[in-house]
Amino acid sequence: MHASLAQKSIFDRPEIVALVTSAADQIYSINKDSAYYYTEEVRKLLPDHPIVPMMEAVSVLWYNIPVLQDDVFDRFNDRLFATVKAAKQLPEGHLDAIFFEMSARGLLAEYYADRGAYMKAFNEATHAYSLLKQGFDYVEEYPEFLFTVGLYNYFREAYPERHPIYKPLIWFFKSGDKALGLEQLKRATKETIMIRVEAYVYLSYIFLRYEEDPELSHKYITELYEEFPTNPYVQAKFLESYHADKKYSQLHSEIIVRLKADESAYYRLVGNLYGGVVDEYVAGNMNTAFKQYQDAARISNQLPGYADHYKSLIHFGLGRIYHQEGKKKQAGIEFQTALSYAQTKEVIEEVNRWMNP
């Protein structure tokens, strides 16, 4: 049964794979016109297939990531529901139907949760999980499942370890395997088509925030940066990986300049933050470092609910400079603000060392 279903997959059609690969490359390079062209070429061949609205949803996401304002989220949401609807028109049990509905519902769950719509998130996650359980059986013959199955295997174990409060809530979910999950995600960077870039992003994130291995995190984000050097999200994460490894002199000035000039407040914040880091640690110019941290802090006021990790680094930087100037009260306020935003154990420990030398 598995083989016959797999043969019907669009990913067994070389002409579709070529077009989808080209479309994905253009989406992640933020080349909107070229991405639209290739998406429309796919639509001509597969006008009713869920891959078309899914590609449109991915485009909306990556042209705006990570800040999805209401109008953008509505377009993203619309394309994901269109994906679910199209998937349901395929024969029951069709691998494409399972994969695309699962992927759409997984994204809906993630972004509903980000917006605080927890009941909607739970509902979509429940649907996605029922489909994911089928995906476990198909990872070898349908590699696109490697990403979601790998994510599940890793975070099913890692997340409750990091957040024990959730342990009683996940007993009914199938056990995972962190080591297997990481291997599946690594394979996904080589063997998948639509979600290869997502696999790179998550591997870098996992090694940075969960495994606390900034060197490996840097390895994966560097591979992605070399492929998509014009993508601002990848640029930001590329800088973050150098910063996490304390390689301040290698923070690329040309990327910092580009991010500071970006139309997105999020990327301007990142550019000013790492510009401040270079001035503080490499150039030793505390005045310009302080100004860039201040500019980043001002920009952060435009991003409620976003960029908490970067906000913690901004206020930590301001606190360090105040502390070195002998302004202990102002430093203490900034250190406390940094702790309120901190997302990693390393930042919390470093701030506490400055507060309690």
Side-chain angles (χ1 to χ4, degrees):
M1 180 180 71
H2 293 189
S4 63
L5 285 173
Q7 287 302 314
K8 297 177 183 178
S9 168
I10 58 168
F11 296 115
D12 287 312
R13 296 175 55 180
E15 75 278 15
I16 299 296
V17 169
L19 285 173
V20 171
T21 300
S22 295
D25 287 347
Q26 298 307 313
I27 289 168
Y28 294 119
S29 296
I30 319 299
N31 292 330
K32 296 181 182 181
D33 291 343
S34 295
Y36 177 79
Y37 168 79
Y38 285 111
T39 301
E40 290 304 299
E41 291 299 300
V42 175
R43 191 193 305 277
K44 291 175 185 176
L45 295 175
L46 299 167
D48 301 315
H49 196 280
I51 193 170
V52 177
M54 175 57 81
M55 290 167 66
E56 291 171 332
V58 172
S59 297
V60 171
L61 176 62
W62 275 87
Y63 298 160
N64 297 278
I65 196 171
V67 181
L68 302 188
Q69 303 292 359
D70 287 347
D71 60 330
V72 174
F73 182 78
D74 288 344
R75 284 189 283 130
F76 180 57
N77 199 49
D78 174 77
R79 293 296 80 205
L80 290 176
F81 276 115
T83 303
V84 171
K85 183 178 179 180
K88 288 186 175 297
Q89 301 306 308
L90 294 173
E92 185 176 353
H94 194 297
L95 292 185
D96 288 353
I98 296 168
F99 172 74
F100 284 100
E101 182 177 356
M102 176 195 66
S103 299
R105 291 192 182 278
L107 283 169
L108 284 165
E110 179 181 351
Y111 284 90
Y112 276 142
D114 284 348
R115 297 171 74 84
Y118 297 114
M119 289 305 297
K120 288 183 177 181
F122 180 77
N123 182 56
E124 295 300 334
T126 301
H127 286 297
Y129 178 63
S130 68
L131 295 160
L132 175 64
K133 287 190 294 185
Q134 299 176 63
F136 277 90
D137 296 330
Y138 298 119
V139 287
E140 296 306 321
E141 58 196 275
Y142 194 100
E144 296 300 304
F145 280 115
L146 281 167
F147 174 67
T148 45
V149 170
L151 276 185
Y152 179 87
N153 272 326
Y154 183 82
F155 282 109
R156 167 60 178 82
E157 302 304 317
Y159 197 81
E161 287 175 5
R162 177 70 64 88
H163 307 280
I165 192 173
Y166 290 104
K167 283 186 177 180
L169 304 177
I170 62 170
W171 62 269
F172 55 90
F173 289 105
K174 175 181 177 179
S175 295
D177 181 326
K178 287 200 298 184
L180 176 60
L182 288 176
E183 286 306 309
Q184 289 168 330
L185 289 171
K186 290 174 185 177
R187 286 179 59 193
T189 66
K190 309 299 180 186
E191 298 177 33
T192 63
I193 298 164
M194 278 207 67
I195 38 71
R196 185 174 58 87
V197 168
E198 318 293 338
Y200 271 111
V201 169
Y202 270 94
L203 275 172
S204 179
Y205 172 78
I206 286 169
F207 282 116
L208 188 61
R209 301 286 179 86
Y210 278 79
E211 297 295 308
E212 298 177 4
D213 189 336
E215 192 170 328
L216 260 182
S217 173
H218 181 70
K219 170 187 179 295
Y220 285 105
I221 203 65
T222 297
E223 290 178 15
L224 201 55
Y225 172 72
E226 289 173 350
E227 191 170 356
F228 301 106
T230 60
N231 185 309
Y233 186 82
V234 175
Q235 291 172 353
K237 294 302 177 183
F238 183 60
L239 293 180
E240 184 178 337
S241 70
Y242 272 126
H243 180 266
D245 210 15
K246 295 182 168 54
K247 294 179 178 178
Y248 307 128
S249 63
Q250 296 184 53
L251 291 167
H252 290 37
S253 59
E254 68 274 16
I255 297 178
I256 291 172
V257 170
R258 286 203 298 266
L259 291 177
K260 287 173 69 173
D262 198 277
E263 63 182 23
S264 165
Y266 183 92
Y267 297 120
R268 293 199 304 277
L269 176 152
V270 175
N272 278 282
L273 162 63
Y274 290 122
V277 170
V278 170
D279 278 333
E280 179 184 359
Y281 285 104
V282 182
N285 191 331
M286 296 303 167
N287 288 332
T288 55
F290 187 76
K291 181 181 183 304
Q292 293 203 72
Y293 289 143
Q294 278 192 317
D295 288 343
R298 278 194 291 270
I299 295 169
S300 75
N301 293 328
Q302 302 173 39
L303 298 166
Y306 291 96
D308 282 359
H309 175 65
Y310 294 134
K311 290 174 185 177
S312 71
L313 299 179
I314 291 164
H315 290 283
F316 186 23
L318 288 169
R320 288 192 302 270
I321 294 175
Y322 276 132
H323 188 276
Q324 291 171 51
E325 292 175 347
K327 299 175 180 178
K328 300 300 175 64
K329 182 177 179 180
Q330 293 97 319
I333 293 171
E334 296 297 340
F335 288 149
Q336 288 294 342
T337 304
L339 288 175
S340 73
Y341 286 118
Q343 302 291 299
T344 67
K345 182 174 70 174
E346 182 182 21
V347 170
I348 292 170
E349 290 175 349
E350 286 193 27
V351 174
N352 279 321
R353 278 196 292 270
W354 275 80
M355 293 176 69
N356 305 289

